[in-house]
Amino acid sequence: MESSASPSKEEFLREFGNCYGYPDGPKSIDEIRATEFKRLQGKVYLDHAGATLYSEKQMQEVTKDLLSNVYGNPHSQNDSSTATSDLISEARQQVLRYFKASLKDYKCIFTSGATGALKLVGEFFPWSEESYFMYTLENHNSVLGIREYALNKGATVFAVDAENNECQYDKTHCCQSSYIKFVKHNIQRRSQYVSRQNTQNGGLSGEVYNMFAFPSECNFSGQKFPLDIVNLIKGDTSIIMGANISLDAAKGCATDPPNLEKYPADFVVFSFYKIFGYPTGLGALLVRNDAAHLLKKTYFSGGTVSASISDMDFIRRRESVEQLFEDGTASFLSIAAIRHGFNIIDSLSIAAISRHTSSLASYTRKKMSELKHENGIDVCAIYGGENHELGPTIAFNLRREDRSWVGSREVEKLASLSGVHLRTGCFCNPGACAKYLGLSHSDLISNYEAGHVCWDDNDVINGKPTGAVRISFGYMSTYEDSEQFMQFLESSFMSKSKKPFENGMVSTVKALQLSGSIQLKSITIYPIKSCSGFNTQRWPLGNVGLKYDREWLLKGPSGEILTQKKVPEMNSICTLVDLKLDKLYVESPKCKEKLEISLLLGTSNIVEEIDVYGYRYQVHSYDADINAWFTRAIGRSCTLVRCTSSQYRFCKNDTIGSTGMCRENRSQLSFANEAQLLLVSEDSVLDLNSRLSSKIQKEKCLNVDAMRFRPNLVISGSKPYSEDNWRSLKIGNAHFTSLGGCNRCEMINLSSISGRVHKLKEPLLTLASYRRNKGKILFGILLRYEDETGEEEGLMNGDRWLHVGQEVYQTN
């Protein structure tokens, strides 16, 4: 392998060759990827902290098992039920072996996942006003959710930082062992909402019970917490007296499961898909027998009782801890699948998996730290790692050469185009996120008030990142995954030697010299949002731009707006407006008859208000026959609505080469996303195509035409990208204001080939290489029509009409 390896791989193998791969396993890492993960060809999957992947061999064994055996509901005594009960019992023992937990010390309760297990602990723990709930700052939201049970019962709650260094003992702020200290954060209480006598589930003879919760590995940074904390908390009552330990092993269990024989935590939670990918929706709670009696449950269900009487207050619960807490029928077919996942892990050994994934993470972390812009500024800001052991996870953000932050959503978008699967955000770990990003409470609250919520695109606010980028390695990850990821970072985010700029953009072809005037080449109207448009030689302008443009849209049954991103079939719906007949004609290959819709609104139309991307529109709806036609056309239930009025805020974008101030005006808009019109230059499209043809392409179609960008107006005769710097323009006698560049998304990668819509990587990937500005990939400009005449006057004298062939003048 080494003789044919690249110099960079040889460097890696010299340092990590003893840890990389599975020399003692049934297959090498390259063989595993080639035979059991063929679906990863051409992809770089680096989100194992989110969910690792199941192998083809594993799924073949699961399928063979289910097709060969009969597993029935275990709550019976027939043969299929007995087979299931035996299988569940064996599965519990296999889980306990994985965590080195003995049957005499622990019970395994199957749950819907780690979150379900944590909810069970929080809900059934005997909280009281004298209780304390203490947890490390770096905890998943599913752990933080336990505090709601504690606070609602009057308990005292506080987060702590666990640090691996010594400190002097301080009763107010710090508790310590020889190498771990806990620094307390704000105390939280809700004692005013509960009575002193009210303890959950009736209390336990006045005894007080406390809980300390921490993860074996932080799912944000990959920091491994010392499991000695378990013995420390149990042995040092000055920290938190008599606390029960809740250990979140969801992240750490995939590569380094806690040894419960050495570190006997009371409650341990995890999910199986984190270990071997399948099944999802199944996890477990491991309960130490000495702590099981603390969980007092009120509700009972099928399978959890020995006897009950329907019309009398009589209930006798099962004594088995597992049966007592597993409500209803267990997910027995999923439980049947886990042994095949464990067989894969056992064949490689968890120790080898740990070494393998750590070698990849350590090497990648080192290479990332070495990346620098030409001016010496670090490209990567990597979180965690100081004085801590790290798992196979790397959390980071990227900086530009001027030290400004690259938004995490920009990284995610470009990674997707490059076939790199990673994750962005705070990963449901708000404590770690705020700690590593330096976000204060006021920052977090102001970000929320500014509109930032989980999973949105607000990735940088007031110059600070709101989240991070995370990559993580799994047992089937390879050196090539790391190498391709590093190539992605270098090609997409490292500053290169500057080349001469043309209109703020690097150009690979010489700027076209104007041999004549700039002309309007084509006009396209898109009556129904996201459906196909039609070309016309002349068209009137109205107070919303081009008349009837994006005046209709399709809604799903729950009110969601349907677009080609969700419903590619919308591209096959053809539209045409006949101004003389006042008709909208619609055709679809899935509908025999052509649909005719009158442009004249009748009194029978229902008027309602809808929300479209945060803005309110007054709309008219249509009858069942029209909605049924569109339902057949796209193959899903939908309704058609027509915009009759709207209020929308326009804001001039900060585009490359633009120095103008932001303008805000109230103006009417139909269902267009950002502006009334979109203009694309044919000469800019030619420049893009020259770049596409110069690359080694794997896509079926190299060149794109202007219509791929769904423009309303196409012009020709200008220099490539000269439109970027236009602030206003005139076409014929109509005046327009530029609102800046149009931010492109993966919509332009949808290509119709042989009647089917395919999602390609181009042209957005190439555009991202030279048309990126502050997180946006710009192509074409957005326009607002400046209505300088009255509507009737303009229509009569023809000033409000656009014509193909009209000259285009830059007026700024």
Side-chain angles (χ1 to χ4, degrees):
M1 179 186 296
E2 292 190 36
S3 60
S4 61
S6 65
S8 57
K9 187 168 186 179
E10 289 177 352
E11 174 196 347
F12 166 76
L13 292 174
R14 280 195 297 271
E15 185 173 358
F16 297 101
N18 293 333
C19 299
Y20 179 70
Y22 306 101
D24 298 325
K27 294 180 181 179
S28 70
I29 181 59
D30 292 333
E31 289 173 327
I32 290 172
R33 278 294 286 265
T35 61
E36 298 185 23
F37 295 91
K38 293 190 287 289
R39 65 190 186 277
L40 285 181
Q41 185 174 359
K43 299 180 177 65
V44 179
Y45 186 86
L46 295 175
D47 189 26
H48 297 273
T52 201
L53 302 174
Y54 52 83
S55 77
E56 293 175 21
K57 178 182 179 182
Q58 175 188 348
M59 298 310 297
Q60 289 165 359
E61 293 299 321
V62 170
T63 302
K64 179 181 177 181
D65 186 356
L66 297 183
L67 293 178
S68 303
N69 295 290
V70 179
Y71 297 121
N73 190 312
H75 297 163
S76 185
Q77 297 295 319
N78 61 52
D79 289 347
S80 58
S81 297
T82 301
T84 302
S85 296
D86 291 342
L87 181 146
I88 292 175
S89 179
E90 292 172 7
R92 295 191 206 278
Q93 294 180 49
Q94 194 165 23
V95 170
L96 293 177
R97 286 195 299 271
Y98 187 72
F99 289 90
K100 292 183 170 58
S102 67
L103 281 169
K104 66 181 181 63
D105 293 325
Y106 282 91
K107 294 293 187 290
C108 172
I109 300 168
F110 288 114
T111 65
S112 60
T115 295
L118 288 164
K119 181 178 183 293
L120 188 154
V121 172
E123 184 177 1
F124 300 147
F125 193 77
W127 305 107
S128 71
E129 290 188 36
E130 289 75 34
S131 296
Y132 282 85
F133 178 41
M134 173 177 167
Y135 53 89
T136 55
L137 190 69
E138 296 102 319
N139 256 307
H140 195 277
N141 268 328
S142 297
V143 176
L144 301 188
I146 292 177
R147 76 182 181 193
E148 295 301 300
Y149 292 110
L151 288 171
N152 283 339
K153 294 301 178 180
T156 300
V157 174
F158 55 89
V160 297
D161 277 312
E163 300 179 355
N164 286 354
N165 50 15
E166 297 183 1
C167 68
Q168 296 298 316
Y169 180 76
D170 183 308
K171 292 184 179 179
T172 305
H173 300 291
C174 178
C175 309
Q176 70 147 14
S177 73
S178 59
Y179 68 99
I180 302 173
K181 75 171 182 179
F182 300 100
V183 181
K184 294 182 181 178
H185 288 255
N186 297 332
I187 290 178
Q188 308 163 59
R189 293 210 67 178
R190 287 185 194 158
S191 57
Q192 65 270 30
Y193 299 117
V194 295
S195 65
R196 183 169 296 276
Q197 291 76 26
N198 183 23
T199 57
Q200 180 155 333
N201 301 309
L204 289 166
S205 305
E207 294 184 78
V208 177
Y209 294 90
N210 305 313
M211 185 185 295
F212 179 80
F214 74 104
S216 63
E217 184 180 319
C218 174
N219 76 306
F220 184 98
S221 66
Q223 173 190 333
K224 290 186 178 183
F225 283 80
L227 294 180
D228 278 340
I229 289 176
V230 174
N231 297 320
L232 171 63
I233 295 292
K234 286 182 172 294
D236 191 344
T237 58
S238 65
I239 299 175
I240 178 170
M241 185 176 293
N244 293 99
I245 310 297
S246 180
L247 180 62
D248 178 8
K251 172 61 184 72
C253 67
T255 56
D256 192 11
N259 183 335
L260 298 185
E261 186 176 35
K262 291 178 62 177
Y263 309 108
D266 299 288
F267 310 110
V268 181
V269 306
F270 69 97
S271 295
F272 290 101
Y273 74 96
K274 299 280 189 178
I275 305 174
F276 36 70
Y278 181 87
T280 59
L282 183 68
L285 167 65
L286 305 185
V287 182
R288 187 167 172 78
N289 292 337
D290 292 345
H293 71 285
L294 297 179
L295 302 180
K296 296 298 179 180
K297 185 183 174 194
T298 301
Y299 175 77
F300 70 88
S301 65
T304 66
V305 297
S306 297
S308 65
I309 299 177
S310 63
D311 58 352
M312 177 181 174
D313 185 10
F314 178 86
I315 171 68
R316 293 295 180 267
R317 300 175 187 271
R318 296 214 177 245
E319 295 183 1
S320 165
V321 172
E322 301 97 332
Q323 291 178 324
L324 182 62
F325 288 100
E326 291 175 354
D327 287 312
T329 302
S331 184
F332 56 91
L333 294 183
S334 292
I335 294 172
I338 67 175
R339 60 177 170 175
H340 304 293
F342 276 125
N343 288 343
I344 298 290
I345 301 302
D346 291 343
S347 69
L348 302 174
S349 89
I350 195 64
I353 290 173
S354 180
R355 291 192 298 269
H356 173 76
T357 53
S358 293
S359 70
L360 289 169
S362 298
Y363 176 78
T364 306
R365 194 178 290 110
K366 173 187 173 184
K367 287 299 181 181
M368 290 174 66
S369 66
E370 294 172 354
L371 286 184
K372 295 184 184 297
H373 293 291
E374 280 197 331
N375 61 1
I377 299 298
D378 289 335
V379 175
C380 304
I382 302 174
Y383 303 117
E386 295 183 5
N387 303 319
H388 294 291
E389 184 183 357
L390 295 171
T393 295
I394 306 172
F396 63 97
N397 271 309
L398 302 176
R399 285 190 184 274
R400 300 184 181 92
E401 57 186 334
D402 63 358
R403 296 182 185 274
S404 64
W405 294 103
V406 178
S408 58
R409 280 289 292 123
E410 179 182 355
V411 179
E412 188 172 41
K413 180 191 292 187
L414 296 178
S416 178
L417 292 173
S418 300
V420 177
H421 299 246
L422 45 73
R423 189 168 293 259
T424 63
C426 281
F427 325 118
C428 296
N429 195 324
C433 190
K435 173 181 177 179
Y436 290 115
L437 302 185
L439 299 173
S440 65
H441 289 170
S442 61
D443 288 332
L444 296 171
I445 293 171
S446 64
N447 287 351
Y448 175 76
E449 291 175 346
H452 171 54
V453 296
C454 294
W455 310 336
D456 68 8
D457 290 339
N458 296 318
D459 49 14
V460 178
I461 298 179
N462 296 323
K464 289 185 177 182
T466 60
V469 185
R470 185 186 72 187
I471 62 170
S472 46
F473 296 91
Y475 78 82
M476 74 296 296
S477 297
T478 64
Y479 165 80
E480 285 71 26
D481 291 329
S482 172
E483 182 179 46
Q484 291 179 56
F485 169 71
M486 291 304 303
Q487 290 173 355
F488 159 67
L489 289 187
E490 292 174 19
S491 63
S492 300
F493 301 103
M494 279 184 66
S495 62
K496 307 293 192 307
S497 298
K498 303 282 186 187
K499 296 181 180 179
F501 272 71
E502 179 101 41
N503 295 317
M505 296 293 179
V506 178
S507 180
T508 58
V509 294
K510 293 182 179 180
L512 298 176
Q513 300 298 320
L514 291 180
S515 58
S517 62
I518 305 173
Q519 291 189 333
L520 181 60
K521 188 75 175 292
S522 69
I523 303 170
T524 308
I525 315 299
Y526 305 89
I528 303 175
K529 183 178 178 68
S530 252
C531 293
S532 292
F534 64 94
N535 292 330
T536 180
Q537 291 295 304
R538 58 194 298 269
W539 200 257
L541 289 157
N543 58 5
V544 293
L546 293 166
K547 279 187 77 71
Y548 304 119
D549 183 57
R550 289 162 293 188
E551 196 161 307
W552 290 262
L553 63 73
L554 294 175
K555 291 194 309 174
S558 60
E560 72 275 18
I561 308 306
L562 301 184
T563 67
Q564 281 192 41
K565 290 181 185 178
K566 300 177 182 177
V567 190
E569 293 82 2
M570 294 178 70
N571 181 64
S572 64
I573 296 177
C574 299
T575 57
L576 175 67
V577 170
D578 190 317
L579 295 175
K580 293 182 180 179
L581 297 178
D582 287 324
K583 296 279 189 181
L584 166 63
Y585 295 98
V586 191
E587 292 184 275
S588 166
K590 295 186 178 180
C591 300
K592 293 181 179 180
E593 70 280 9
K594 179 190 294 186
L595 186 63
E596 295 184 13
I597 299 175
S598 174
L599 300 181
L600 305 175
L601 291 170
T603 56
S604 61
N605 292 98
I606 300 173
V607 180
E608 60 177 319
E609 276 199 358
I610 65 171
D611 183 279
V612 180
Y613 305 130
Y615 293 90
R616 300 298 298 174
Y617 290 82
Q618 189 176 77
V619 301
H620 283 258
S621 57
Y622 288 88
D623 60 31
D625 290 341
I626 289 178
N627 293 330
W629 189 97
F630 281 100
T631 295
R632 291 194 300 274
I634 66 172
R636 65 169 68 190
S637 179
C638 64
T639 56
L640 180 72
V641 297
R642 180 182 184 182
C643 175
T644 58
S645 68
S646 69
Q647 290 292 314
Y648 201 97
R649 182 179 294 265
F650 290 98
C651 185
K652 185 172 177 62
N653 294 331
D654 292 327
T655 58
I656 298 175
S658 174
T659 57
M661 296 298 290
C662 181
R663 303 181 186 180
E664 291 189 1
N665 294 303
R666 287 291 180 176
S667 179
Q668 283 195 332
L669 191 75
S670 57
F671 291 129
N673 285 351
E674 297 180 87
Q676 292 174 339
L677 300 98
L678 170 63
L679 179 147
V680 165
S681 163
E682 191 172 61
D683 305 290
S684 300
V685 175
L686 288 173
D687 176 81
L688 169 61
N689 279 321
S690 72
R691 298 169 190 270
L692 288 171
S693 62
S694 67
K695 295 174 63 176
I696 299 174
Q697 295 290 325
K698 293 183 180 179
E699 305 287 2
K700 295 180 180 179
C701 296
L702 296 183
N703 290 344
V704 297
D705 60 25
M707 301 316 297
R708 176 75 72 89
F709 301 94
R710 293 179 64 85
N712 294 112
L713 310 176
V714 177
I715 61 170
S716 65
S718 64
K719 296 179 181 180
Y721 313 112
S722 62
E723 66 273 14
D724 291 337
N725 295 319
W726 296 353
R727 298 189 188 175
S728 59
L729 61 145
K730 184 179 179 182
I731 304 177
N733 292 319
H735 294 266
F736 301 87
T737 296
S738 172
L739 303 175
C742 180
N743 184 25
R744 312 313 309 215
C745 65
E746 292 188 8
M747 182 85 163
I748 65 174
N749 286 348
L750 299 179
S751 177
S752 181
I753 303 173
S754 302
R756 297 186 62 184
V757 176
H758 298 264
K759 183 178 180 181
L760 311 176
K761 291 182 179 180
E762 297 291 3
L764 194 58
L765 181 60
T766 294
L767 284 174
S769 68
Y770 75 107
R771 293 289 300 178
R772 252 178 39 236
N773 182 49
K774 296 181 180 179
K776 297 179 179 180
I777 303 172
L778 303 174
F779 194 82
I781 59 172
L782 302 169
L783 299 178
R784 178 178 69 237
Y785 171 57
E786 302 293 352
D787 188 359
E788 297 177 347
T789 63
E791 183 168 358
E792 295 300 324
E793 178 186 351
L795 286 173
M796 289 178 63
N797 62 30
D799 287 347
R800 292 169 58 88
W801 287 73
L802 293 181
H803 301 259
V804 170
Q806 286 177 320
E807 291 192 5
V808 180
Y809 303 93
Q810 179 185 349
T811 59
N812 55 296

